[in-house]
Amino acid sequence: MSLFAPTSPTPGRAARLASRVLQVGLIAAVVVVTATRSFDLDRFFVPKELVLHATALLAGLLTLARVRHLRVTWTDLALVGVIGVSALSAVWAANPWAAGRALALTCSGAAVFWVARVLRQEGLGPPLVRSAAIAVVLAAVLALAQAYGIESPYFSTNRAPGGTLGNRNFVGHLAAFGLPLLLVPALRSPRWSTVLLSMVSLVLVVGILVLTRSRAAWLGAGTVLAVLMLCVLLAPALRRWSMLMRTGLVVPVIAVGGILATTLPNALDWVSESPYLESAQGMLNYQEGSGQGRLLQYRRSLELVQQSPLLGVGPGNWSVAYPGVAPPGDPSMSGSRPGMTSNPWPSSDAVALVSERGLLGVLAWLLFAGSLSWTAWTSLRRKADDRDADDRDAAGAGLLLAMSAGVVVTGAFDAVLLLAWPVLLVATVAGALLPAAQARSIAVPRWLRVAFFAVLVTLAGVGAVRSGGQWAAMRLYEADASRASLERAAQLDPGSYRVHLRLAQRTRGTARCPHAQTAAALYPHATAAERLAARCE
C-alpha cells in the first residue's frame, strides 16, 4: 500500500523525469563533497548547494508547464511572502554575495517545494518520500562508517562522526527529523518486508543519532516521537489496534539502536569517560559551556534586530554584522581570525531569521509554517468516505507534522534550514505530502503562476552557476598558489573573502589595494583585511 493513492493515473513523461531528478538530487546531496581541505566547511556546503540549485533548475524546467494547473493556497502565498521579504532584505545587505547565496537557497528550496506539489498531483509523491527516507539512511550509514573507523578524505576529521555532511551535529539533525520517514512505514505498511526494512533502518538512524551527541538532535527526536504518537492517537483513520500493536514493536527497536550505539566499541575520541550520559545530563544546561555560549550569542544577535528591525541585516549577513556587536572574548568569535565569527551562521535558524530578515521575515515564515501545519492538521482529523484514502492522507499529514516539529526544534538550537541538503529534503517531503485538497484555493491567474515560477527557476540556474564558480575557485586556491591562479579564482568567485585576502597578502605595492579593499568591504570587521586596506588610504 502506497503512502498516497495516485491522483493522476498516467503521469506525463516530463513529470516522471522531474521525479527522477528530485530522487537523484536527494541522494547526491548526501554524498557529494570535495576534498579541498583548505575550505573545511565550504567543501561540504558548496557541492551540496550546487546539487540543490541544479535539481531545482532541471526539475523546475520539466514541470514549468504543469505549474499553471497547481492549486494556489494560503501556504503558497505565504511562501511567496517569504521570498519577497528575503529579496528585499538582500538588496540592503552589506555583503551582497553572501546575501545572494542565502537568497538562492530560499528560492531553490521554494522551487523544489512547488515541483514536489506538482508531482504529488501527478501521483508521484510516494517515490519522492521513499527517496528521502533512503537519503536519511545513507547519511546515517556513511556517518556510522566514520564512527567505526573507516577513514576517507571526504569525511571531516574535526567534527566526527559527520560522514559526508561534514559535522556530527548535522548528521544528528537529519536523523532526528528524518525519523518519521522510517517510522510511518514501520507503523502502517501491510508488507512485513517493508516493516523489517524500516526496523533495520531505524536501528541505524537511532544509532548515529546517539553517537553524534547532538543535544539539539536529541530534543528534536523526542519531539518527533511525541508528535507522531499524538497524531496516531488523535487521527480517526490511524487510531486502530493494529497501529498500537506496531508501536509496541517500534519502541524496543529504537531502544536496541540506542543500546548498540552506547555499548559497541567505536573509533570516536571523546574526552569524557561517559560522553553520552554527560550529553544527556547537560541537554538543557545553559549555565556553562556551549549552552551558555548560545545564550550569549542569541542575546547579542538581538542587537542586530534593533539596528534593522523590519528587514534585518540581510540573508547570510549575520557573520558580517555580528562582530560589530560582539565584545572581546565572545565565544562565537574566531580565535585564529580576529574580527570574524567561528561559523558563517548563528547556532539557531530562529536567530538567523530574525537577525537577517527582520520582523517582516519572521512574520512571513510564521504564516507559511502555520498555514502548512494547519492544512496537515485538518487532513489528519478529517473523516472520509474512502477509508483507504483517509488512512493514506492521515499518515502523510502525521508524517509532515512530526517532521516539521523536528525541524523547528532542532532549528531552534542549531543551523538546519540554513544549509542546502536539509532544505532539499524538507522541501521535497513537504511538497510531496502537503494535502492541498483540504486547503482553500486562491484565484491567481495562470500566466502569473508560470511567470513567477519561471523567475524562481532562473534564479536557481544563477545559483547553480555561482556554486559551480565557487567550487572551481576552491580547487584553484588549493591546487596552485600562484598569483595567476588566485586571480582566476577571484574571477570565478568574486565574493570569496579568503581568495581576495590571500591575493592582497601576496601582492606588493598598490596592486594589492583592489583586493584588500574588496576583502574589507565583504567583512568590514575582519582585522586582517582592515589592516591591509588601511595601507591603501
Side-chain angles (χ1 to χ4, degrees):
M1 183 185 295
S2 298
L3 190 59
F4 293 104
T7 55
S8 175
T10 55
R13 184 169 180 269
R16 292 195 300 270
L17 285 174
S19 177
R20 294 299 184 201
V21 168
L22 278 186
Q23 290 176 278
V24 172
L26 285 165
I27 305 303
V30 171
V31 299
V32 67
V33 62
T34 180
T36 51
R37 293 188 176 274
S38 297
F39 295 79
D40 190 39
L41 290 175
D42 274 345
R43 76 187 187 96
F44 296 97
F45 296 163
V46 171
K48 297 179 192 306
E49 289 172 16
L50 177 58
V51 170
L52 168 63
H53 299 318
T55 300
L57 172 64
L58 295 176
L61 289 173
L62 289 167
T63 55
L64 185 61
R66 299 294 300 170
V67 169
R68 67 179 185 272
H69 300 299
L70 188 66
R71 293 178 64 251
V72 179
T73 67
W74 288 110
T75 303
D76 300 312
L77 293 184
L79 185 54
V80 171
V82 169
I83 297 169
V85 171
S86 299
L88 190 59
S89 175
V91 172
W92 309 104
N95 186 329
W97 293 101
R101 182 177 177 178
L103 179 62
L105 289 181
T106 300
C107 292
S108 289
V112 167
F113 172 76
W114 280 313
V115 167
R117 283 202 54 207
V118 169
L119 296 179
R120 172 184 163 83
Q121 290 187 168
E122 296 282 332
L124 294 171
L128 299 182
V129 177
R130 286 195 295 268
S131 296
I134 293 171
V136 171
V137 176
L138 179 60
V141 169
L142 291 171
L144 283 169
Q146 183 181 22
Y148 288 101
I150 295 179
E151 297 181 359
S152 170
Y154 300 104
F155 294 161
S156 175
T157 56
N158 296 331
R159 302 171 179 86
T164 52
L165 299 189
N167 189 305
R168 62 184 178 89
N169 289 314
F170 300 158
V171 175
H173 303 157
L174 186 64
F177 60 74
L179 279 176
L181 294 169
L182 307 174
L183 284 167
V184 169
L187 290 174
R188 66 176 299 275
S189 177
R191 296 182 179 179
W192 281 102
S193 59
T194 301
V195 174
L196 180 60
L197 183 60
S198 297
M199 297 291 190
V200 173
S201 299
L202 273 173
V203 171
L204 297 174
V205 172
V206 170
I208 196 59
L209 177 64
V210 172
L211 289 174
T212 60
R213 294 183 61 194
S214 171
R215 290 177 290 179
W218 290 2
L219 288 170
T223 303
V224 163
L225 294 175
V227 171
L228 194 58
M229 291 302 101
L230 187 64
C231 290
V232 171
L233 293 175
L234 295 181
L238 301 180
R239 195 168 56 241
R240 298 172 184 170
W241 180 248
S242 60
M243 294 285 285
L244 298 178
M245 290 292 291
R246 292 282 186 90
T247 302
L249 292 175
V250 167
V251 172
V253 168
I254 293 175
V256 167
I259 292 171
L260 291 176
T262 55
T263 56
L264 291 177
N266 58 58
L268 301 175
D269 187 20
W270 301 125
V271 177
S272 171
E273 294 183 359
S274 303
Y276 309 108
L277 179 60
E278 181 182 286
S279 294
Q281 291 174 337
M283 199 178 304
L284 298 177
N285 182 6
Y286 284 88
Q287 302 300 318
E288 56 187 1
S290 61
Q292 183 186 46
R294 277 183 168 84
L295 281 184
L296 292 173
Q297 181 192 96
Y298 300 166
R299 188 180 307 125
R300 287 159 186 163
S301 295
L302 291 178
E303 296 181 28
L304 301 178
V305 182
Q306 295 175 0
Q307 297 175 10
S308 184
L310 291 181
L311 294 174
V313 298
N317 271 244
W318 174 86
S319 60
V320 179
Y322 185 81
V325 298
D330 189 302
S332 296
M333 299 298 293
S334 172
S336 59
R337 299 175 300 161
M340 298 193 72
T341 57
S342 299
N343 292 315
W345 16 249
S347 299
S348 169
D349 281 355
V351 171
L353 176 61
V354 69
S355 62
E356 293 183 346
R357 312 193 192 202
L359 299 178
L360 289 179
V362 172
L363 177 60
W365 270 108
L366 287 176
L367 290 174
F368 171 68
S371 177
L372 186 146
S373 299
W374 178 254
T375 302
W377 174 256
T378 302
S379 180
L380 183 77
R381 297 288 292 163
R382 182 177 67 100
K383 293 183 179 180
D385 296 332
D386 185 345
R387 178 173 176 174
D388 288 338
D390 194 16
D391 181 31
R392 286 187 292 266
D393 288 347
L399 195 163
L400 181 56
L401 285 170
M403 173 176 271
S404 300
V407 170
V408 169
V409 172
T410 53
F413 303 102
D414 258 323
V416 177
L417 293 182
L418 302 176
L419 311 177
W421 48 267
V423 167
L424 177 57
L425 182 87
V426 173
T428 300
V429 173
L433 294 180
L434 184 66
Q438 304 305 312
R440 181 180 177 183
S441 181
I442 308 299
V444 175
R446 290 184 175 184
W447 69 266
L448 185 57
R449 304 178 209 174
V450 175
F452 182 79
F453 189 71
V455 171
L456 280 188
V457 172
T458 302
L459 292 176
V462 173
V465 172
R466 168 80 197 285
S467 295
Q470 288 179 281
W471 194 341
M474 290 192 301
R475 294 178 65 87
L476 279 173
Y477 181 96
E478 183 161 294
D480 189 352
S482 67
R483 180 179 173 184
S485 292
L486 290 174
E487 291 281 3
R488 178 59 179 158
Q491 293 173 354
L492 290 169
D493 185 11
S496 175
Y497 168 84
R498 184 175 296 186
V499 171
H500 285 293
L501 181 64
R502 175 171 282 194
L503 272 169
Q505 292 170 334
R506 296 194 173 188
T507 306
R508 296 181 179 180
T510 57
R512 76 156 62 95
C513 290
H515 297 293
Q517 291 168 343
T518 298
L522 291 171
Y523 287 89
H525 302 283
T527 302
E530 185 180 17
R531 289 174 178 172
L532 289 171
R535 300 176 188 175
C536 299
E537 296 178 354

